[in-house]
Amino acid sequence: MPGRLQYKSTLITGAGSGIGLESALLFAQEGADVLLVDVNEQAVNAAAKKVAERFPNVKVAATKADVSKEAEVKAAVDKAVELFGRLDVVFNNAGIMHPADDNALNTEEKIWDLTMDVNLKGVWWGCKHAIIAMRKNPTDASKGLHTGGSIINTASFVAIMGAATPQLAYTASKGAVLAMTRELAMVHAREGIRLNSICPGPLKTPLLMDFLNTDEKKNRRLVHLPMGRFGEAVEIAKGALFLASDDSSYMTGTDFKVDGGLTSCY
Ligand code: NAD
C-alpha cells in the first residue's frame, strides 16, 4: 500500500525533539522525503540519523536554522526544494516556553520579544517561504502531486483557554498563531495552499516537563486533564500527518485540537 505522503517533500521545524522528531519519523514512514530543521545542530543531526536509519527508502536531511531569522528559514526552504525537487508540506512546529515567571507584572520585555520572535515571527517566516515555494510546485497527476501544499502551524491549547499558571508571552504568541493561520488560509485557499493550526494539549516533552518541574505542579495540571494523563508527542504527530496528507484535502483554516479533551472540559 502506498504511504499517505508518498512522493511528497516535507520540511519540519523543531525536529530535533518532541513533536517534530515524532512527526519526522511518521512522515518518513508514510513515504515522504523529510528535511529536519532545528536551532540545536547536534539534536537535529541525531534526529535525522535516526529517521534515515529507520526509513532508508526516503531522502532524509538535516539543517540548522533559527526560525526567528528570515534568512535562515529561507535557506532551509531552498535546501528542501534543491534536495527533493519541490515542497509539499511545511510543519512550522518549533517553539519555546520560557520557564520564568511569565505574567503581566513580571515578564521582562526581552522574554516577551524572544517568545514572539520564535513562536510567532518564526511561523510567519515559515509560512511566507513555504507559500513562495508551493506556488512553484509542478502538478504530476500520476503521482498525486499538485501545485500548492499543506502548511501546519503548531499553536497550543493555551491559545484557546486561559492558563492559570502564568505563561503570558507564550499564550499570546500561540493565540496569534491561530489568528495568523486563519487569515493566511483564507488568502491562499484558491491557490491550493491549505493552512491549519494544530493545538496540542499538555505533553510529556521537555518543553512542558521543564516548566512543570515539580510533582506538585504536574499533579495540579493532571487534575484538569479529562484523560488523566499527559499526551505523547507521537499523538500530536498523528494529527499533523492527517493535516499534511490529502486525507484532510477539504480542511483549511482550522484550529485542530489534539488535547485529550482538555479544551472541552469544565
Ligand atoms: P521540545 O522542546 O521537545 O521541542 C522543541 C524543539 O524546537 C527543540 O528541538 C528546540 O531545539 C527547537 N527550537 C527551539 N527554538 C528554536 C528556534 N528558534 N529555531 C528552530 N528550532 C527551535 O517541545 P515540543 O513539546 O515538541 O514542542 C513543539 C511545539 O509544540 C512547540 O511549538 C510548543 O510550543 C508546542 N506545544 C507543546 C506542548 C507541550 O505540552 N509540550 C503543548 C502545546 C504546544
Side-chain angles (χ1 to χ4, degrees):
M1 245 211 0
R4 289 158 75 188
L5 295 180
Q6 190 150 30
Y7 306 121
K8 302 237 176 180
S9 157
T10 68
L11 180 157
I12 302 171
T13 72
S17 172
I19 298 170
L21 170 55
E22 293 299 334
S23 301
L25 287 163
L26 211 50
F27 286 15
Q29 181 183 303
E30 291 294 330
D33 296 329
V34 190
L35 178 63
L36 294 89
V37 180
D38 204 288
V39 73
N40 182 333
E41 190 167 24
Q42 209 181 344
V44 78
N45 287 338
K49 191 163 172 267
K50 191 171 171 180
V51 179
E53 279 170 3
R54 219 175 289 175
F55 302 104
N57 295 336
V58 296
K59 292 181 196 157
V60 178
T63 200
K64 176 184 183 290
D66 177 345
V67 295
S68 68
K69 308 267 189 316
E70 183 178 12
E72 296 187 24
V73 174
K74 181 182 182 308
V77 166
D78 289 349
K79 182 168 174 172
V81 174
E82 190 189 315
L83 290 174
F84 309 145
R86 54 188 297 119
L87 187 54
D88 301 287
V89 175
V90 169
F91 186 12
N92 293 306
N93 165 72
I96 53 168
M97 182 162 64
H98 208 275
D101 201 8
D102 183 6
N103 64 40
L105 305 185
N106 295 347
T107 295
E108 293 171 53
E109 194 176 356
K110 66 175 189 225
I111 301 299
W112 174 275
D113 288 345
L114 176 68
T115 306
M116 290 294 170
D117 280 354
V118 175
N119 292 5
L120 180 57
K121 207 195 273 181
V123 172
W124 171 30
W125 297 141
C127 291
K128 174 178 173 181
H129 292 286
I131 290 163
I132 292 168
M134 287 173 176
R135 281 175 165 169
K136 297 180 194 152
N137 280 335
T139 291
D140 182 344
S142 68
K143 292 182 173 166
L145 297 173
H146 47 79
T147 304
S150 172
I151 299 173
I152 307 138
N153 297 330
T154 303
S156 168
F157 65 98
V158 299
I160 298 167
M161 306 178 83
T165 41
Q167 44 192 81
L168 185 74
Y170 181 81
T171 299
S173 70
K174 294 298 189 179
V177 166
L178 292 189
M180 183 171 71
T181 305
R182 269 185 226 118
E183 177 160 316
L184 289 172
M186 298 308 103
V187 172
H188 297 284
R190 294 191 181 210
E191 296 180 82
I193 299 174
R194 299 187 296 110
L195 291 105
N196 292 289
S197 299
I198 192 162
C199 299
L203 309 178
K204 256 190 262 167
T205 65
L207 183 130
L208 187 67
M209 293 303 112
D210 291 350
F211 180 66
L212 304 177
N213 54 5
T214 65
D215 281 347
E216 194 205 333
K217 286 184 195 166
K218 286 189 185 70
N219 289 336
R220 269 185 61 194
R221 196 52 82 77
L222 278 173
V223 169
H224 299 285
L225 290 174
M227 291 189 180
R229 66 172 177 87
F230 292 107
E232 303 287 344
V234 69
E235 295 179 299
I236 310 306
K238 287 176 184 171
L241 170 63
F242 170 66
L243 294 173
S245 76
D246 291 341
D247 290 350
S248 59
S249 55
Y250 201 49
M251 286 174 66
T252 197
T254 57
D255 308 339
F256 192 71
K257 292 175 260 175
V258 187
D259 65 357
L262 178 59
T263 53
S264 300
C265 171
Y266 170 69

